[in-house]
Amino acid sequence: MYRLITITLIFLLFAIANAQNNAPQVSNVVAVADTQNRVVTITYDLSDVEQDSIKIDLRISGDSGTTYLLLVDSTAGDIGYPILPGINKQITWQYEPGLIKLSDQTSNCFRAKIIADDLYEIDIQEIVNRVDSLAMRQDLQAIEGVRHFSANPTAWAATKTFIENKFIAHNLQARRHEFSYSNVTGANIIGRHPGHTEEEKTYIVDGHFDTVSSTPGADDNGSGTVGMLEAMRVLSGYQFARTVVFIGFDLEEVGLVGSQRYVSEAIPHYQQTEGVFNFEMIGYTCHQAGCDAFRPLGNYIHNIYDVNSSSLRVVFDQAAAAYVPGLVVLSTQATPDNPNFRRSDHARFWDAGIKALFLTDGANFRNPHYHQPGDNTTTLDYTFMTNVVKTTVATVAKLAGVRHSGVGLSNFFDLNVTSTSQGPPNQVNTFVLKQNFPNPFNPGTTIEYTLEKSSEITLKIFNLLGEEIRILANKTQAAGTHRVIWDGRNNTGKRVTSGVYVYKIEVDSQLLAKKMVMLR
């Protein structure tokens, strides 16, 4: 009997061990550039415990490894699918100097990245189960207290450092986006977890960390801040096709200042923001009849969206039903005439035509401690908060495309190209006009263009009859990338109707134009 039990236990342990599929590993990545023949040879070793056939992708960075977005097309060798594990694998990349534009002015700023994917499907529930309520409770206890720029500047500054250190500890690309406000310097704290195969496409999880001057701000918005940090802790442990960015917004309480400045000046030119999940008070519940202005019981999360964000709302609701059935979601489409739907950082993204969800426990409509000294950690429902974060983690994991991948980075190398390299040979480009995003849009969209030198520019909107609708820019601008947001209004301030519009930019007597679609 004992021998049978022992054999059975060994068999079970063996089965459990083999049920865990291991991600492939990439090592010894070496890149050698032959600039005379314009060829880069990348060698690498590939291993996989299960000896699966592997899909290999190659990405190249031109900015010292911050992004891997250079065009990589003419390749040959051990790339694609299926590639078997082994040593001394080799890829050759035939590059065209005229198609390479540097973002970094230094030499040796190129780097190769090999992504190895065994196409194993990761269980989203496994990711969701890693969300830890104790970790959030501990983080909230660490930042609880007045976090106000004038009432308690020491705690305000310390919270920024706390968030930043969390990002650094989890190997994110961390940066501060600083800006002036009144007589102080505000700072949004940003952590970037780059995607590997569709890196430009980006999802954002955010929460503002500042408080008003009279509250320890456990729910408003400590809950949102630690919820963002917990989503970051879990998701940073996985690889994704698309990028996930985590942001602690500053100075929300004085008019959404941090998010407004981020949207208008700090979104990188390469980033295509596909969706935003804004945590605004996610920790309070009320289970007594009559305590909530919206519903008699307060054990649900409000998922508020504008018409442009309805597809994002659907994915969130489906994720809650599939992976967090204990969370009740009340989804509501925002109406333009209700200012309560715009009371947090998501509104700045809505104005720019970017999909965003406003996730909130109801704020002052539910929580009697709102903006009061009693808004402390003892008043919160940590199971509820955990379920909100779990649902967001599931949603982002699905949308960002979780991958069972291994990644290897090469040495830095030089291609002997200059930062002035532009289009194909013999083609003169003094500026670039990108397609607006999002498109179609409602009510706002972002138009991006890049100037190669300081130039006099005009940027205008026209309808299909050729009538001028709006002048967005008419001035001299420095070389570099610029963004302008059109909020869907004409020169008189009135909203325009649905339809096709044309935006035209004229730079030094050169003209480019593109079409865009407004949906109402």
Side-chain angles (χ1 to χ4, degrees):
M1 175 64 72
Y2 289 112
R3 183 180 179 185
L4 177 61
I5 293 173
T6 301
I7 293 173
T8 302
L9 287 173
I10 292 174
F11 176 81
L12 288 173
L13 289 172
F14 179 83
I16 291 171
N18 280 273
Q20 300 298 318
N21 190 290
N22 296 275
Q25 299 296 311
V26 182
S27 58
N28 300 323
V29 184
V30 178
V32 178
D34 177 354
T35 57
Q36 182 175 357
N37 294 304
R38 300 180 301 184
V39 173
V40 178
T41 302
I42 302 108
T43 58
Y44 65 96
D45 296 341
L46 176 64
S47 62
D48 185 69
V49 173
E50 293 79 21
Q51 292 295 300
D52 292 328
S53 295
I54 308 298
K55 182 178 184 295
I56 295 293
D57 285 291
L58 170 67
R59 294 292 184 269
I60 300 292
S61 172
D63 55 10
S64 300
T66 300
T67 65
Y68 288 80
L69 293 170
L70 291 184
L71 179 65
V72 181
D73 49 6
S74 300
T75 59
D78 296 309
I79 188 169
Y81 180 86
I83 303 298
L84 295 177
I87 62 172
N88 294 323
K89 299 290 182 178
Q90 181 174 293
I91 300 172
T92 57
W93 170 41
Q94 183 80 50
Y95 67 92
E96 173 53 61
L99 297 178
I100 294 174
K101 180 181 178 182
L102 295 180
S103 299
D104 195 304
Q105 297 297 316
T106 63
S107 61
N108 293 310
C109 67
F110 294 92
R111 200 175 198 184
K113 176 166 67 174
I114 303 290
I115 306 105
D117 194 332
D118 62 5
L119 307 182
Y120 175 79
E121 186 174 347
I122 297 177
D123 184 3
I124 298 293
Q125 191 68 58
E126 169 194 315
I127 305 174
V128 167
N129 292 344
R130 293 179 182 270
V131 177
D132 186 355
S133 62
L134 179 59
M136 282 191 285
R137 186 188 294 263
Q138 291 172 340
D139 284 349
L140 192 51
Q141 290 171 343
I143 68 170
E144 181 183 20
V146 175
R147 304 179 294 279
H148 188 267
F149 68 96
S150 63
N152 194 347
T154 300
W156 181 56
T159 304
K160 299 176 194 179
T161 302
F162 181 84
I163 297 170
E164 188 173 47
N165 287 342
K166 289 280 188 178
F167 290 163
I168 294 171
H170 288 84
N171 300 312
L172 270 62
Q173 296 175 352
R175 67 183 176 100
R176 290 194 178 204
H177 163 226
E178 295 188 334
F179 53 89
S180 297
Y181 172 78
S182 186
N183 61 342
V184 299
T185 299
N188 298 319
I189 312 301
I190 303 167
R192 182 173 183 265
H193 185 44
H196 293 308
T197 55
E198 298 177 81
E199 184 181 349
E200 69 282 0
K201 295 181 179 180
T202 301
Y203 291 91
I204 294 174
V205 181
D206 75 78
H208 77 86
F209 56 82
D210 63 314
T211 69
V212 296
S213 60
S214 58
T215 177
D219 194 25
D220 186 18
N221 187 31
S223 62
T225 300
V226 303
M228 176 271 293
L229 289 175
E230 181 61 8
M232 180 277 300
R233 184 189 69 82
V234 173
L235 292 171
S236 64
Y238 292 86
Q239 307 291 343
F240 296 93
R242 303 168 195 99
T243 296
V244 186
V245 169
F246 304 90
I247 305 177
F249 278 126
D250 201 355
L251 298 178
E252 187 268 359
E253 295 289 0
V254 292
L256 316 182
V257 175
S259 55
Q260 188 276 326
R261 296 294 293 272
Y262 174 80
V263 171
S264 64
E265 67 188 35
I267 298 178
H269 67 88
Y270 52 79
Q271 178 174 304
Q272 298 177 18
T273 309
E274 301 288 328
V276 178
F277 300 86
N278 176 39
F279 288 154
E280 174 60 51
M281 302 181 64
I282 60 169
Y284 189 84
T285 57
C286 176
H287 299 272
Q288 299 176 2
C291 68
D292 190 289
F294 296 117
R295 291 284 182 90
L297 294 179
N299 57 348
Y300 51 87
I301 190 72
H302 292 280
N303 176 17
I304 300 170
Y305 60 98
D306 69 345
V307 64
N308 185 49
S309 309
S310 59
S311 60
L312 201 64
R313 186 272 302 176
V314 170
V315 180
F316 186 88
D317 290 356
Q318 290 175 342
Y323 303 107
V324 197
L327 180 69
V328 179
V329 180
L330 177 62
S331 292
T332 305
Q333 182 172 320
T335 54
D337 58 344
N338 189 337
N340 289 314
F341 291 135
R342 297 181 49 83
R343 289 173 51 188
S344 191
D345 294 308
H346 63 283
R348 298 309 187 193
F349 291 96
W350 284 356
D351 291 342
I354 297 172
K355 296 178 182 179
L357 298 184
F358 176 20
L359 302 170
T360 179
D361 59 22
N364 56 297
F365 292 100
R366 177 185 298 165
N367 190 339
H369 309 292
Y370 175 78
H371 285 187
Q372 299 297 317
D375 183 13
N376 59 56
T377 55
T378 65
T379 65
L380 301 187
D381 183 334
Y382 292 93
T383 299
F384 174 76
M385 189 191 307
T386 301
N387 285 340
V388 175
V389 176
K390 283 183 173 182
T391 302
T392 306
V393 163
T395 306
V396 174
K398 290 178 73 69
L399 291 172
V402 63
R403 293 290 182 264
H404 199 246
S405 301
V407 176
L409 301 177
S410 78
N411 52 292
F412 292 104
F413 57 93
D414 197 352
L415 293 183
N416 196 27
V417 296
T418 68
S419 60
T420 57
S421 297
Q422 287 302 304
N426 303 320
Q427 177 177 323
V428 179
N429 287 329
T430 61
F431 68 100
V432 175
L433 178 64
K434 287 190 175 183
Q435 186 65 49
N436 65 300
F437 61 93
N439 188 44
F441 62 94
N442 178 20
T445 189
T446 299
I447 298 170
E448 181 179 307
Y449 53 94
T450 300
L451 306 177
E452 297 308 315
K453 61 181 181 178
S454 178
S455 305
E456 183 74 25
I457 74 108
T458 58
L459 178 61
K460 298 180 179 180
I461 309 294
F462 297 85
N463 61 23
L464 290 182
L465 297 176
E467 298 169 332
E468 182 182 292
I469 301 298
R470 184 77 179 267
I471 300 174
L472 296 180
N474 185 11
K475 57 186 175 181
T476 299
Q477 289 186 307
T481 298
H482 303 270
R483 287 190 183 86
V484 177
I485 295 174
W486 183 39
D487 59 10
R489 290 181 290 185
N490 61 21
N491 286 330
T492 67
K494 295 181 179 180
R495 295 286 181 185
V496 302
T497 60
S498 298
V500 178
Y501 293 86
V502 177
Y503 57 102
K504 297 181 181 180
I505 184 170
E506 184 174 354
V507 180
D508 297 336
S509 301
Q510 299 180 67
L511 182 68
L512 286 178
K514 291 182 182 291
K515 293 181 179 180
M516 56 184 171
V517 179
M518 156 75 85
L519 296 178
R520 293 291 298 275

